[in-house]
Amino acid sequence: MEIQHIVYGFSPKLSPAPSIPIGKPPSLLSSSYPSIQSQKFDVLSGVYHPINIAKKGGCYSSRRRVWCSSSKDIADPNKGHEVRTQVTGRRKKLAVFVSGGGSNFKSIHEASKRGSLHGDVIVLVTNKSECGGAEYARNNGIPVILFPKAKDESNGLSPNELVDSLRRLEVDFILLAGYLKLIPVELIRAYERSIFNIHPSLLPAFGGKGHYGMKVHKAVIASGARFSGPTIHYVDEHYDTGRILAQRVVPVLANDTAEELAARVLREEHQLYVEVVEALCEDRIVWRKDGVPLIRSKENPNETY
């Protein structure tokens, strides 16, 4: 089956974008979590580019700036110059899966358009062709694929057809953003360590089949938990059991409703997912020897989160 028969509005030409300056480093975990510096890591891929200093003398750095000065004014770093690294290499191609409104999908797409991540959303996959996320994709010229096949939909794909379609589009990463169907094993094997999901609780708590949307927040409040927050994890053959890549903590207030907690968590989701996708597109994922994935800092490759 040719790809133009199964997607809407697909255009094979994607305009290239220039290299992008790196901005603020991601704060993927609470500041109470220590940086892990004494471990040995296997780098998944990518090259780390050092900061080139034009002037000789002393250099001072913080998490946001690097100052360089001559030996004469070494005591005053504020007289120096801010230096930024450049992201180089091919922009990553992203496929996003949604089942509903797709607010995380919109956040990622908007970040790509404004240049804060080195990648492009090139296709949307959904099990509901009329959902808000699919409508947003069509309005923004992003092709839509229907998966899985449904009785009332004639254009749905089988698992193998989906894998073939994503390979033809040369997709690098698959991002689940409120997609409620179990990912088929064919796709997981084809995109090993390249499929990610965001879940609205601090996994492994309140995860698994049946834990989605408002059900999660109601369960958190009913349990008496004092904290919640989103988790981004690798996807395996089960619901919410893949390796955790990033989390962010929010408080559960004494008189919270599920709706209030959901809104608080969602605000963090939008920021966290974009920061993680930035790291993916810049090849900053490293693996600890015990199989735990971590994110390498943009500005200091010796720091991981």
Side-chain angles (χ1 to χ4, degrees), residues 53 55-60 66-81:
I53 303 300
K55 297 180 66 177
K56 294 182 179 180
C59 294
Y60 303 86
V66 176
W67 298 278
C68 298
S69 62
S70 66
S71 57
K72 293 182 179 180
D73 57 8
I74 197 169
D76 187 5
N78 291 321
K79 293 182 180 180
H81 305 278

Side-chain angles (χ1 to χ4, degrees), residues 106-117 119 274 278:
K106 296 173 186 176
S107 294
I108 294 167
H109 180 244
E110 289 168 359
S112 174
K113 289 196 301 181
R114 67 175 177 263
S116 67
L117 61 87
V274 169
E278 286 178 4

Side-chain angles (χ1 to χ4, degrees), residues 191-208:
Y191 282 88
E192 185 179 5
R193 288 187 174 181
S194 298
I195 308 177
F196 304 85
N197 181 49
I198 189 162
H199 184 77
S201 74
L202 296 174
L203 293 175
F206 309 104

